[in-house]
Amino acid sequence: MTRLVFGVGFNDGKYPAKVNGKTIKEYNLWCGLLERCYCPKLQKKRPTYIGCLVSENFKSYSYFYDWVQKQVGFSEKGFQLDKDLIFKGNKLYSEETCLFLPSQLNSLLTTCRAVRGSLPVGVSANGKAFQAGCSTDKTSLRYLGRFNTPELAFQAYKQAKEAYIKLQAEKWRDFIDPRAYEALIAYTISIAD
């Protein structure tokens, strides 16, 4: 009898999990999405994954393996599997919701809710004022000014961040899934993000 992976995933043996003793990318990705959805220990460390699910098709390793081979960006170095660009806030890993993004684009869409406190995304307190800043990559923060209210600071952040996301969408257009490009061009940031 075959053991289920994280209690739900089924590997029928059609494709290898390892080659020359090394776990292959397809199997790592598949196990990773199952772990995010069905491992309470991981969800305790990363609560944003609580409530995430895997489609019935993706519970099959051979189905996932076949699907992933056809995806734009899968074979590219530095691309990551994303589930919530097409449908913001999505909690389902499926063929309709998942695609691959360069890590630079994927990191643009994180909101760091757990570390920023009660202020809107892109806003920090600065004395009696509020400061807006927009990250353009992992190491640089563009200062956008000081404002009297968190809402005004957020509006400055929203405008700068959405413009930057669109700029990056154009830069990556020829290298990403057309669904990713369309979602990035239409991407909006909400004060509730």
Side-chain angles (χ1 to χ4, degrees):
M1 182 174 170
T2 304
R3 181 178 67 83
L4 293 175
V5 179
F6 291 102
V8 297
F10 177 75
N11 181 358
D12 63 8
K14 182 177 177 182
Y15 298 112
K18 293 183 177 187
V19 172
N20 297 325
K22 185 177 177 189
T23 305
I24 65 172
K25 181 178 180 180
E26 294 87 344
Y27 193 76
N28 271 332
L29 283 169
W30 183 68
C31 287
L33 64 92
L34 292 172
E35 181 181 26
R36 290 188 290 278
C37 296
Y38 302 107
C39 178
K41 187 176 178 180
L42 180 131
Q43 290 179 351
K44 189 173 182 179
K45 290 181 196 172
R46 299 179 72 188
T48 56
Y49 289 115
I50 293 172
C52 286
L53 300 168
V54 174
S55 71
E56 289 304 312
N57 287 338
F58 273 19
K59 290 177 183 175
S60 163
Y61 174 55
S62 59
Y63 182 91
F64 180 78
Y65 184 100
D66 286 335
W67 175 84
V68 83
Q69 301 300 318
K70 301 171 196 158
Q71 301 312 300
V72 175
F74 165 69
S75 60
E76 302 298 323
K77 187 176 180 177
F79 276 59
Q80 300 169 329
L81 183 66
D82 177 87
K83 69 168 175 23
D84 51 11
L85 172 61
I86 298 173
F87 303 105
K88 196 172 182 180
N90 174 56
K91 296 277 193 179
L92 177 68
Y93 286 89
S94 73
E95 55 271 59
E96 292 85 20
T97 60
C98 290
L99 48 75
F100 285 86
L101 287 176
S103 60
Q104 300 95 316
L105 285 178
N106 207 14
S107 66
L108 282 178
L109 309 175
T110 59
T111 60
C112 303
R113 185 177 307 222
V115 297
R116 74 170 193 257
S118 61
L119 291 171
V121 62
V123 178
S124 59
N126 186 338
K128 292 183 180 181
F130 298 90
Q131 167 173 308
C134 181
S135 295
T136 53
D137 60 38
K138 291 183 180 181
T139 59
S140 64
L141 179 69
R142 186 172 138 217
Y143 175 72
L144 301 171
R146 288 170 49 111
F147 302 87
N148 291 330
T149 68
E151 293 78 14
L152 289 172
F154 170 74
Q155 287 305 318
Y157 167 79
K158 175 182 171 63
Q159 183 179 9
K161 189 72 169 197
E162 288 176 357
Y164 187 70
I165 289 170
K166 287 171 180 46
L167 182 70
Q168 292 304 301
E170 292 299 337
K171 174 184 168 187
W172 287 95
R173 184 179 192 159
D174 294 337
F175 306 99
I176 59 176
D177 187 311
R179 299 176 302 156
Y181 173 78
E182 292 300 326
L184 289 164
I185 290 297
Y187 198 84
T188 60
I189 296 170
S190 156
I191 200 162
D193 285 348

